[in-house]
PDB file of all heavy atoms in Angstrom:
ATOM      1  N   GLU A 109       9.865   9.306  13.449  1.00  0.00           N
ATOM      2  CA  GLU A 109      10.723   8.232  12.951  1.00  0.00           C
ATOM      3  C   GLU A 109      11.080   8.416  11.416  1.00  0.00           C
ATOM      4  O   GLU A 109      12.181   8.305  11.008  1.00  0.00           O
ATOM      5  CB  GLU A 109      10.120   6.920  13.075  1.00  0.00           C
ATOM      6  CG  GLU A 109      10.062   6.443  14.543  1.00  0.00           C
ATOM      7  CD  GLU A 109       9.363   4.996  14.658  1.00  0.00           C
ATOM      8  OE1 GLU A 109       9.833   4.022  14.053  1.00  0.00           O
ATOM      9  OE2 GLU A 109       8.310   4.889  15.313  1.00  0.00           O
ATOM     10  N   LYS A 110      10.063   8.779  10.688  1.00  0.00           N
ATOM     11  CA  LYS A 110      10.287   9.051   9.249  1.00  0.00           C
ATOM     12  C   LYS A 110      11.253  10.188   9.050  1.00  0.00           C
ATOM     13  O   LYS A 110      12.160   9.998   8.119  1.00  0.00           O
ATOM     14  CB  LYS A 110       8.948   9.363   8.563  1.00  0.00           C
ATOM     15  CG  LYS A 110       7.993   8.228   8.405  1.00  0.00           C
ATOM     16  CD  LYS A 110       6.744   8.627   7.678  1.00  0.00           C
ATOM     17  CE  LYS A 110       5.830   7.406   7.480  1.00  0.00           C
ATOM     18  NZ  LYS A 110       4.994   7.530   6.358  1.00  0.00           N
ATOM     19  N   THR A 111      11.078  11.201   9.794  1.00  0.00           N
ATOM     20  CA  THR A 111      11.933  12.385   9.608  1.00  0.00           C
ATOM     21  C   THR A 111      13.395  12.051   9.919  1.00  0.00           C
ATOM     22  O   THR A 111      14.328  12.340   9.196  1.00  0.00           O
ATOM     23  CB  THR A 111      11.485  13.588  10.507  1.00  0.00           C
ATOM     24  OG1 THR A 111      10.054  13.867  10.211  1.00  0.00           O
ATOM     25  CG2 THR A 111      12.319  14.818  10.263  1.00  0.00           C
ATOM     26  N   LYS A 112      13.631  11.343  11.054  1.00  0.00           N
ATOM     27  CA  LYS A 112      15.034  10.980  11.466  1.00  0.00           C
ATOM     28  C   LYS A 112      15.638  10.070  10.456  1.00  0.00           C
ATOM     29  O   LYS A 112      16.702  10.298   9.997  1.00  0.00           O
ATOM     30  CB  LYS A 112      14.902  10.308  12.782  1.00  0.00           C
ATOM     31  CG  LYS A 112      14.757  11.227  13.907  1.00  0.00           C
ATOM     32  CD  LYS A 112      14.834  10.480  15.233  1.00  0.00           C
ATOM     33  CE  LYS A 112      14.705  11.257  16.465  1.00  0.00           C
ATOM     34  NZ  LYS A 112      14.198  10.511  17.565  1.00  0.00           N
ATOM     35  N   ILE A 113      14.907   9.094   9.909  1.00  0.00           N
ATOM     36  CA  ILE A 113      15.487   8.158   9.038  1.00  0.00           C
ATOM     37  C   ILE A 113      15.725   8.776   7.644  1.00  0.00           C
ATOM     38  O   ILE A 113      16.791   8.531   6.979  1.00  0.00           O
ATOM     39  CB  ILE A 113      14.646   6.823   8.958  1.00  0.00           C
ATOM     40  CG1 ILE A 113      15.611   5.632   8.657  1.00  0.00           C
ATOM     41  CG2 ILE A 113      13.468   6.868   7.965  1.00  0.00           C
ATOM     42  CD1 ILE A 113      14.985   4.339   9.017  1.00  0.00           C
ATOM     43  N   ALA A 114      14.872   9.682   7.219  1.00  0.00           N
ATOM     44  CA  ALA A 114      15.136  10.419   5.996  1.00  0.00           C
ATOM     45  C   ALA A 114      16.376  11.271   6.034  1.00  0.00           C
ATOM     46  O   ALA A 114      17.145  11.287   5.112  1.00  0.00           O
ATOM     47  CB  ALA A 114      13.862  11.186   5.659  1.00  0.00           C
ATOM     48  N   LEU A 115      16.565  11.863   7.194  1.00  0.00           N
ATOM     49  CA  LEU A 115      17.727  12.738   7.351  1.00  0.00           C
ATOM     50  C   LEU A 115      18.949  11.896   7.445  1.00  0.00           C
ATOM     51  O   LEU A 115      19.994  12.264   6.771  1.00  0.00           O
ATOM     52  CB  LEU A 115      17.628  13.538   8.622  1.00  0.00           C
ATOM     53  CG  LEU A 115      16.606  14.687   8.626  1.00  0.00           C
ATOM     54  CD1 LEU A 115      16.388  15.334  10.034  1.00  0.00           C
ATOM     55  CD2 LEU A 115      17.007  15.845   7.642  1.00  0.00           C
ATOM     56  N   GLU A 116      18.909  10.734   8.147  1.00  0.00           N
ATOM     57  CA  GLU A 116      20.017   9.865   8.087  1.00  0.00           C
ATOM     58  C   GLU A 116      20.473   9.378   6.830  1.00  0.00           C
ATOM     59  O   GLU A 116      21.671   9.193   6.535  1.00  0.00           O
ATOM     60  CB  GLU A 116      19.706   8.572   9.041  1.00  0.00           C
ATOM     61  CG  GLU A 116      19.887   8.790  10.451  1.00  0.00           C
ATOM     62  CD  GLU A 116      19.123   7.736  11.326  1.00  0.00           C
ATOM     63  OE1 GLU A 116      19.016   6.571  10.786  1.00  0.00           O
ATOM     64  OE2 GLU A 116      18.710   8.083  12.420  1.00  0.00           O
ATOM     65  N   ASN A 117      19.481   9.186   5.963  1.00  0.00           N
ATOM     66  CA  ASN A 117      19.792   8.786   4.600  1.00  0.00           C
ATOM     67  C   ASN A 117      20.166   9.909   3.564  1.00  0.00           C
ATOM     68  O   ASN A 117      20.216   9.674   2.433  1.00  0.00           O
ATOM     69  CB  ASN A 117      18.601   7.943   4.011  1.00  0.00           C
ATOM     70  CG  ASN A 117      18.552   6.547   4.538  1.00  0.00           C
ATOM     71  OD1 ASN A 117      19.530   5.758   4.391  1.00  0.00           O
ATOM     72  ND2 ASN A 117      17.537   6.194   5.304  1.00  0.00           N
ATOM     73  N   GLY A 118      20.267  11.066   4.140  1.00  0.00           N
ATOM     74  CA  GLY A 118      20.727  12.187   3.254  1.00  0.00           C
ATOM     75  C   GLY A 118      19.719  12.868   2.425  1.00  0.00           C
ATOM     76  O   GLY A 118      20.037  13.563   1.450  1.00  0.00           O
ATOM     77  N   LEU A 119      18.397  12.653   2.785  1.00  0.00           N
ATOM     78  CA  LEU A 119      17.382  13.383   2.081  1.00  0.00           C
ATOM     79  C   LEU A 119      17.060  14.691   2.745  1.00  0.00           C
ATOM     80  O   LEU A 119      17.143  14.771   3.977  1.00  0.00           O
ATOM     81  CB  LEU A 119      16.048  12.526   2.044  1.00  0.00           C
ATOM     82  CG  LEU A 119      16.034  11.206   1.235  1.00  0.00           C
ATOM     83  CD1 LEU A 119      14.875  10.405   1.502  1.00  0.00           C
ATOM     84  CD2 LEU A 119      16.261  11.472  -0.283  1.00  0.00           C
ATOM     85  N   LYS A 120      16.673  15.642   1.996  1.00  0.00           N
ATOM     86  CA  LYS A 120      16.112  16.859   2.616  1.00  0.00           C
ATOM     87  C   LYS A 120      14.647  16.551   2.941  1.00  0.00           C
ATOM     88  O   LYS A 120      14.006  15.825   2.231  1.00  0.00           O
ATOM     89  CB  LYS A 120      16.239  17.995   1.641  1.00  0.00           C
ATOM     90  CG  LYS A 120      17.660  18.521   1.421  1.00  0.00           C
ATOM     91  CD  LYS A 120      17.713  19.873   0.783  1.00  0.00           C
ATOM     92  CE  LYS A 120      19.125  20.256   0.368  1.00  0.00           C
ATOM     93  NZ  LYS A 120      19.971  20.444   1.504  1.00  0.00           N
ATOM     94  N   VAL A 121      14.239  17.108   4.098  1.00  0.00           N
ATOM     95  CA  VAL A 121      12.858  16.834   4.523  1.00  0.00           C
ATOM     96  C   VAL A 121      12.002  18.062   4.539  1.00  0.00           C
ATOM     97  O   VAL A 121      12.440  19.159   5.037  1.00  0.00           O
ATOM     98  CB  VAL A 121      12.869  16.314   5.984  1.00  0.00           C
ATOM     99  CG1 VAL A 121      11.472  16.194   6.603  1.00  0.00           C
ATOM    100  CG2 VAL A 121      13.494  14.856   6.036  1.00  0.00           C
ATOM    101  N   ILE A 122      10.851  18.029   3.881  1.00  0.00           N
ATOM    102  CA  ILE A 122       9.867  19.098   3.968  1.00  0.00           C
ATOM    103  C   ILE A 122       8.852  18.558   5.034  1.00  0.00           C
ATOM    104  O   ILE A 122       8.129  17.688   4.771  1.00  0.00           O
ATOM    105  CB  ILE A 122       9.164  19.440   2.647  1.00  0.00           C
ATOM    106  CG1 ILE A 122      10.236  19.824   1.623  1.00  0.00           C
ATOM    107  CG2 ILE A 122       8.154  20.518   2.839  1.00  0.00           C
ATOM    108  CD1 ILE A 122       9.652  20.095   0.256  1.00  0.00           C
ATOM    109  N   PHE A 123       8.905  19.230   6.246  1.00  0.00           N
ATOM    110  CA  PHE A 123       8.038  18.713   7.325  1.00  0.00           C
ATOM    111  C   PHE A 123       6.806  19.634   7.402  1.00  0.00           C
ATOM    112  O   PHE A 123       6.920  20.838   7.580  1.00  0.00           O
ATOM    113  CB  PHE A 123       8.837  18.751   8.616  1.00  0.00           C
ATOM    114  CG  PHE A 123       8.120  18.090   9.749  1.00  0.00           C
ATOM    115  CD1 PHE A 123       8.019  16.720   9.861  1.00  0.00           C
ATOM    116  CD2 PHE A 123       7.414  18.858  10.705  1.00  0.00           C
ATOM    117  CE1 PHE A 123       7.371  16.086  10.888  1.00  0.00           C
ATOM    118  CE2 PHE A 123       6.663  18.213  11.707  1.00  0.00           C
ATOM    119  CZ  PHE A 123       6.678  16.867  11.822  1.00  0.00           C
ATOM    120  N   CYS A 124       5.670  19.024   7.201  1.00  0.00           N
ATOM    121  CA  CYS A 124       4.395  19.840   7.028  1.00  0.00           C
ATOM    122  C   CYS A 124       3.659  19.866   8.472  1.00  0.00           C
ATOM    123  O   CYS A 124       3.532  18.867   9.137  1.00  0.00           O
ATOM    124  CB  CYS A 124       3.456  19.219   6.131  1.00  0.00           C
ATOM    125  SG  CYS A 124       4.159  19.028   4.489  1.00  0.00           S
ATOM    126  N   ILE A 125       3.192  21.033   8.800  1.00  0.00           N
ATOM    127  CA  ILE A 125       2.360  21.191   9.903  1.00  0.00           C
ATOM    128  C   ILE A 125       1.209  22.084   9.599  1.00  0.00           C
ATOM    129  O   ILE A 125       1.236  22.812   8.549  1.00  0.00           O
ATOM    130  CB  ILE A 125       3.163  21.847  11.106  1.00  0.00           C
ATOM    131  CG1 ILE A 125       3.719  23.261  10.642  1.00  0.00           C
ATOM    132  CG2 ILE A 125       4.304  21.045  11.608  1.00  0.00           C
ATOM    133  CD1 ILE A 125       4.367  23.986  11.794  1.00  0.00           C
ATOM    134  N   GLY A 126       0.130  22.064  10.357  1.00  0.00           N
ATOM    135  CA  GLY A 126      -1.046  22.945  10.069  1.00  0.00           C
ATOM    136  C   GLY A 126      -2.211  22.518  10.891  1.00  0.00           C
ATOM    137  O   GLY A 126      -2.339  21.337  11.288  1.00  0.00           O
ATOM    138  N   GLU A 127      -3.067  23.493  11.191  1.00  0.00           N
ATOM    139  CA  GLU A 127      -4.281  23.247  11.994  1.00  0.00           C
ATOM    140  C   GLU A 127      -5.488  22.959  11.112  1.00  0.00           C
ATOM    141  O   GLU A 127      -5.542  23.416   9.959  1.00  0.00           O
ATOM    142  CB  GLU A 127      -4.487  24.402  12.969  1.00  0.00           C
ATOM    143  CG  GLU A 127      -5.245  25.640  12.360  1.00  0.00           C
ATOM    144  CD  GLU A 127      -4.365  26.450  11.381  1.00  0.00           C
ATOM    145  OE1 GLU A 127      -3.257  26.118  11.077  1.00  0.00           O
ATOM    146  OE2 GLU A 127      -4.966  27.554  10.878  1.00  0.00           O
ATOM    147  N   THR A 128      -6.465  22.260  11.655  1.00  0.00           N
ATOM    148  CA  THR A 128      -7.677  22.034  10.944  1.00  0.00           C
ATOM    149  C   THR A 128      -8.608  23.249  11.200  1.00  0.00           C
ATOM    150  O   THR A 128      -8.345  24.101  11.984  1.00  0.00           O
ATOM    151  CB  THR A 128      -8.465  20.739  11.594  1.00  0.00           C
ATOM    152  OG1 THR A 128      -8.691  21.102  12.931  1.00  0.00           O
ATOM    153  CG2 THR A 128      -7.682  19.489  11.469  1.00  0.00           C
ATOM    154  N   LEU A 129      -9.721  23.262  10.427  1.00  0.00           N
ATOM    155  CA  LEU A 129     -10.663  24.384  10.542  1.00  0.00           C
ATOM    156  C   LEU A 129     -11.225  24.463  12.000  1.00  0.00           C
ATOM    157  O   LEU A 129     -11.291  25.483  12.632  1.00  0.00           O
ATOM    158  CB  LEU A 129     -11.780  24.112   9.527  1.00  0.00           C
ATOM    159  CG  LEU A 129     -12.849  25.266   9.552  1.00  0.00           C
ATOM    160  CD1 LEU A 129     -12.320  26.579   9.198  1.00  0.00           C
ATOM    161  CD2 LEU A 129     -14.068  24.865   8.575  1.00  0.00           C
ATOM    162  N   GLU A 130     -11.504  23.272  12.582  1.00  0.00           N
ATOM    163  CA  GLU A 130     -12.026  23.253  13.948  1.00  0.00           C
ATOM    164  C   GLU A 130     -11.077  23.860  14.881  1.00  0.00           C
ATOM    165  O   GLU A 130     -11.418  24.629  15.726  1.00  0.00           O
ATOM    166  CB  GLU A 130     -12.375  21.792  14.269  1.00  0.00           C
ATOM    167  CG  GLU A 130     -13.300  21.612  15.396  1.00  0.00           C
ATOM    168  CD  GLU A 130     -13.443  20.161  15.817  1.00  0.00           C
ATOM    169  OE1 GLU A 130     -12.968  19.241  15.052  1.00  0.00           O
ATOM    170  OE2 GLU A 130     -13.825  19.953  17.007  1.00  0.00           O
ATOM    171  N   GLU A 131      -9.808  23.454  14.717  1.00  0.00           N
ATOM    172  CA  GLU A 131      -8.739  23.931  15.615  1.00  0.00           C
ATOM    173  C   GLU A 131      -8.525  25.468  15.489  1.00  0.00           C
ATOM    174  O   GLU A 131      -8.446  26.209  16.422  1.00  0.00           O
ATOM    175  CB  GLU A 131      -7.469  23.177  15.376  1.00  0.00           C
ATOM    176  CG  GLU A 131      -7.474  21.785  15.834  1.00  0.00           C
ATOM    177  CD  GLU A 131      -6.496  20.860  15.277  1.00  0.00           C
ATOM    178  OE1 GLU A 131      -5.792  21.174  14.235  1.00  0.00           O
ATOM    179  OE2 GLU A 131      -6.243  19.756  15.793  1.00  0.00           O
ATOM    180  N   ASN A 132      -8.635  25.896  14.205  1.00  0.00           N
ATOM    181  CA  ASN A 132      -8.581  27.309  13.956  1.00  0.00           C
ATOM    182  C   ASN A 132      -9.641  28.026  14.593  1.00  0.00           C
ATOM    183  O   ASN A 132      -9.400  29.140  15.227  1.00  0.00           O
ATOM    184  CB  ASN A 132      -8.523  27.508  12.440  1.00  0.00           C
ATOM    185  CG  ASN A 132      -8.170  28.935  12.041  1.00  0.00           C
ATOM    186  OD1 ASN A 132      -9.084  29.764  12.139  1.00  0.00           O
ATOM    187  ND2 ASN A 132      -6.983  29.195  11.694  1.00  0.00           N
ATOM    188  N   GLU A 133     -10.880  27.536  14.535  1.00  0.00           N
ATOM    189  CA  GLU A 133     -11.987  28.227  15.050  1.00  0.00           C
ATOM    190  C   GLU A 133     -12.007  28.288  16.579  1.00  0.00           C
ATOM    191  O   GLU A 133     -12.540  29.209  17.174  1.00  0.00           O
ATOM    192  CB  GLU A 133     -13.332  27.658  14.457  1.00  0.00           C
ATOM    193  CG  GLU A 133     -13.523  28.154  13.056  1.00  0.00           C
ATOM    194  CD  GLU A 133     -14.677  27.428  12.322  1.00  0.00           C
ATOM    195  OE1 GLU A 133     -15.266  26.486  12.853  1.00  0.00           O
ATOM    196  OE2 GLU A 133     -15.078  27.855  11.214  1.00  0.00           O
ATOM    197  N   LYS A 134     -11.451  27.244  17.182  1.00  0.00           N
ATOM    198  CA  LYS A 134     -11.307  27.190  18.629  1.00  0.00           C
ATOM    199  C   LYS A 134     -10.233  28.144  19.131  1.00  0.00           C
ATOM    200  O   LYS A 134     -10.040  28.286  20.296  1.00  0.00           O
ATOM    201  CB  LYS A 134     -10.973  25.804  19.049  1.00  0.00           C
ATOM    202  CG  LYS A 134     -12.085  24.827  19.252  1.00  0.00           C
ATOM    203  CD  LYS A 134     -11.651  23.720  20.064  1.00  0.00           C
ATOM    204  CE  LYS A 134     -12.534  22.424  19.803  1.00  0.00           C
ATOM    205  NZ  LYS A 134     -11.703  21.132  19.976  1.00  0.00           N
ATOM    206  N   GLY A 135      -9.450  28.677  18.227  1.00  0.00           N
ATOM    207  CA  GLY A 135      -8.358  29.596  18.613  1.00  0.00           C
ATOM    208  C   GLY A 135      -7.066  28.859  19.182  1.00  0.00           C
ATOM    209  O   GLY A 135      -6.376  29.442  19.971  1.00  0.00           O
ATOM    210  N   ILE A 136      -6.961  27.585  18.774  1.00  0.00           N
ATOM    211  CA  ILE A 136      -5.762  26.866  19.316  1.00  0.00           C
ATOM    212  C   ILE A 136      -4.705  26.508  18.301  1.00  0.00           C
ATOM    213  O   ILE A 136      -3.921  25.592  18.476  1.00  0.00           O
ATOM    214  CB  ILE A 136      -6.280  25.488  19.998  1.00  0.00           C
ATOM    215  CG1 ILE A 136      -7.074  24.650  19.005  1.00  0.00           C
ATOM    216  CG2 ILE A 136      -7.132  25.748  21.244  1.00  0.00           C
ATOM    217  CD1 ILE A 136      -7.259  23.208  19.561  1.00  0.00           C
ATOM    218  N   THR A 137      -4.723  27.328  17.211  1.00  0.00           N
ATOM    219  CA  THR A 137      -3.714  27.115  16.169  1.00  0.00           C
ATOM    220  C   THR A 137      -2.324  27.010  16.656  1.00  0.00           C
ATOM    221  O   THR A 137      -1.559  26.140  16.306  1.00  0.00           O
ATOM    222  CB  THR A 137      -3.791  28.280  15.096  1.00  0.00           C
ATOM    223  OG1 THR A 137      -5.162  28.188  14.535  1.00  0.00           O
ATOM    224  CG2 THR A 137      -2.801  28.146  14.032  1.00  0.00           C
ATOM    225  N   LYS A 138      -1.944  28.037  17.491  1.00  0.00           N
ATOM    226  CA  LYS A 138      -0.500  28.010  17.925  1.00  0.00           C
ATOM    227  C   LYS A 138      -0.133  26.790  18.789  1.00  0.00           C
ATOM    228  O   LYS A 138       0.880  26.257  18.673  1.00  0.00           O
ATOM    229  CB  LYS A 138      -0.184  29.336  18.687  1.00  0.00           C
ATOM    230  CG  LYS A 138      -0.190  30.523  17.756  1.00  0.00           C
ATOM    231  CD  LYS A 138       0.172  31.783  18.535  1.00  0.00           C
ATOM    232  CE  LYS A 138       0.180  32.906  17.501  1.00  0.00           C
ATOM    233  NZ  LYS A 138       0.231  34.201  18.088  1.00  0.00           N
ATOM    234  N   ASP A 139      -1.112  26.338  19.579  1.00  0.00           N
ATOM    235  CA  ASP A 139      -0.862  25.158  20.412  1.00  0.00           C
ATOM    236  C   ASP A 139      -0.619  23.926  19.536  1.00  0.00           C
ATOM    237  O   ASP A 139       0.242  23.056  19.757  1.00  0.00           O
ATOM    238  CB  ASP A 139      -1.964  24.842  21.376  1.00  0.00           C
ATOM    239  CG  ASP A 139      -2.214  25.999  22.323  1.00  0.00           C
ATOM    240  OD1 ASP A 139      -1.279  26.586  22.721  1.00  0.00           O
ATOM    241  OD2 ASP A 139      -3.366  26.286  22.619  1.00  0.00           O
ATOM    242  N   VAL A 140      -1.469  23.866  18.493  1.00  0.00           N
ATOM    243  CA  VAL A 140      -1.403  22.721  17.516  1.00  0.00           C
ATOM    244  C   VAL A 140      -0.022  22.762  16.837  1.00  0.00           C
ATOM    245  O   VAL A 140       0.656  21.699  16.708  1.00  0.00           O
ATOM    246  CB  VAL A 140      -2.558  22.814  16.513  1.00  0.00           C
ATOM    247  CG1 VAL A 140      -2.386  21.723  15.343  1.00  0.00           C
ATOM    248  CG2 VAL A 140      -3.854  22.608  17.240  1.00  0.00           C
ATOM    249  N   LEU A 141       0.340  23.912  16.298  1.00  0.00           N
ATOM    250  CA  LEU A 141       1.562  24.001  15.565  1.00  0.00           C
ATOM    251  C   LEU A 141       2.807  23.610  16.436  1.00  0.00           C
ATOM    252  O   LEU A 141       3.762  22.905  16.048  1.00  0.00           O
ATOM    253  CB  LEU A 141       1.809  25.389  14.974  1.00  0.00           C
ATOM    254  CG  LEU A 141       0.723  25.870  14.039  1.00  0.00           C
ATOM    255  CD1 LEU A 141       1.056  27.310  13.503  1.00  0.00           C
ATOM    256  CD2 LEU A 141       0.577  24.877  12.881  1.00  0.00           C
ATOM    257  N   LYS A 142       2.822  24.180  17.650  1.00  0.00           N
ATOM    258  CA  LYS A 142       3.821  23.831  18.593  1.00  0.00           C
ATOM    259  C   LYS A 142       3.953  22.391  18.918  1.00  0.00           C
ATOM    260  O   LYS A 142       5.055  21.837  18.885  1.00  0.00           O
ATOM    261  CB  LYS A 142       3.446  24.685  19.908  1.00  0.00           C
ATOM    262  CG  LYS A 142       4.620  25.124  20.676  1.00  0.00           C
ATOM    263  CD  LYS A 142       4.133  26.192  21.685  1.00  0.00           C
ATOM    264  CE  LYS A 142       4.759  25.890  23.033  1.00  0.00           C
ATOM    265  NZ  LYS A 142       4.391  26.924  24.070  1.00  0.00           N
ATOM    266  N   GLU A 143       2.826  21.733  19.158  1.00  0.00           N
ATOM    267  CA  GLU A 143       2.870  20.329  19.465  1.00  0.00           C
ATOM    268  C   GLU A 143       3.414  19.549  18.251  1.00  0.00           C
ATOM    269  O   GLU A 143       4.222  18.622  18.358  1.00  0.00           O
ATOM    270  CB  GLU A 143       1.428  19.830  19.794  1.00  0.00           C
ATOM    271  CG  GLU A 143       1.444  18.412  20.237  1.00  0.00           C
ATOM    272  CD  GLU A 143       0.067  17.813  20.576  1.00  0.00           C
ATOM    273  OE1 GLU A 143      -0.766  18.657  21.021  1.00  0.00           O
ATOM    274  OE2 GLU A 143      -0.105  16.664  20.424  1.00  0.00           O
ATOM    275  N   GLN A 144       2.967  19.917  17.040  1.00  0.00           N
ATOM    276  CA  GLN A 144       3.448  19.228  15.807  1.00  0.00           C
ATOM    277  C   GLN A 144       4.995  19.346  15.661  1.00  0.00           C
ATOM    278  O   GLN A 144       5.678  18.387  15.273  1.00  0.00           O
ATOM    279  CB  GLN A 144       2.728  19.705  14.603  1.00  0.00           C
ATOM    280  CG  GLN A 144       1.256  19.222  14.549  1.00  0.00           C
ATOM    281  CD  GLN A 144       0.488  19.926  13.443  1.00  0.00           C
ATOM    282  OE1 GLN A 144       0.844  20.967  12.952  1.00  0.00           O
ATOM    283  NE2 GLN A 144      -0.570  19.313  13.044  1.00  0.00           N
ATOM    284  N   LEU A 145       5.515  20.560  15.965  1.00  0.00           N
ATOM    285  CA  LEU A 145       6.940  20.804  15.850  1.00  0.00           C
ATOM    286  C   LEU A 145       7.697  20.070  16.972  1.00  0.00           C
ATOM    287  O   LEU A 145       8.719  19.459  16.687  1.00  0.00           O
ATOM    288  CB  LEU A 145       7.179  22.317  15.892  1.00  0.00           C
ATOM    289  CG  LEU A 145       6.728  23.076  14.684  1.00  0.00           C
ATOM    290  CD1 LEU A 145       6.868  24.603  14.999  1.00  0.00           C
ATOM    291  CD2 LEU A 145       7.551  22.739  13.464  1.00  0.00           C
ATOM    292  N   ILE A 146       7.190  20.157  18.167  1.00  0.00           N
ATOM    293  CA  ILE A 146       7.974  19.564  19.297  1.00  0.00           C
ATOM    294  C   ILE A 146       7.926  18.028  19.149  1.00  0.00           C
ATOM    295  O   ILE A 146       9.052  17.379  19.238  1.00  0.00           O
ATOM    296  CB  ILE A 146       7.369  19.961  20.670  1.00  0.00           C
ATOM    297  CG1 ILE A 146       7.543  21.450  20.932  1.00  0.00           C
ATOM    298  CG2 ILE A 146       7.896  19.151  21.752  1.00  0.00           C
ATOM    299  CD1 ILE A 146       6.854  22.052  22.207  1.00  0.00           C
ATOM    300  N   GLU A 147       6.828  17.440  18.845  1.00  0.00           N
ATOM    301  CA  GLU A 147       6.753  15.970  18.754  1.00  0.00           C
ATOM    302  C   GLU A 147       7.392  15.487  17.487  1.00  0.00           C
ATOM    303  O   GLU A 147       8.137  14.467  17.535  1.00  0.00           O
ATOM    304  CB  GLU A 147       5.319  15.498  18.920  1.00  0.00           C
ATOM    305  CG  GLU A 147       4.676  15.843  20.198  1.00  0.00           C
ATOM    306  CD  GLU A 147       5.358  15.281  21.440  1.00  0.00           C
ATOM    307  OE1 GLU A 147       5.848  14.128  21.354  1.00  0.00           O
ATOM    308  OE2 GLU A 147       5.396  15.912  22.479  1.00  0.00           O
ATOM    309  N   GLY A 148       7.099  16.089  16.393  1.00  0.00           N
ATOM    310  CA  GLY A 148       7.547  15.664  15.070  1.00  0.00           C
ATOM    311  C   GLY A 148       9.108  15.782  14.958  1.00  0.00           C
ATOM    312  O   GLY A 148       9.719  15.054  14.255  1.00  0.00           O
TER     313      GLY A 148
END
Side-chain angles (χ1 to χ4, degrees):
E109 286 182 60
K110 286 182 180 209
T111 303
K112 283 183 175 155
I113 209 160
L115 291 170
E116 275 164 30
N117 281 301
L119 294 171
K120 290 195 186 291
V121 170
I122 299 179
F123 189 78
C124 303
I125 58 174
E127 81 287 4
T128 61
L129 181 61
E130 199 189 342
E131 290 162 341
N132 186 284
E133 285 172 350
K134 275 195 201 151
I136 57 168
T137 296
K138 288 182 178 168
D139 299 325
V140 171
L141 299 181
K142 212 163 133 175
E143 185 179 331
Q144 290 172 337
L145 289 170
I146 290 173
E147 298 299 327

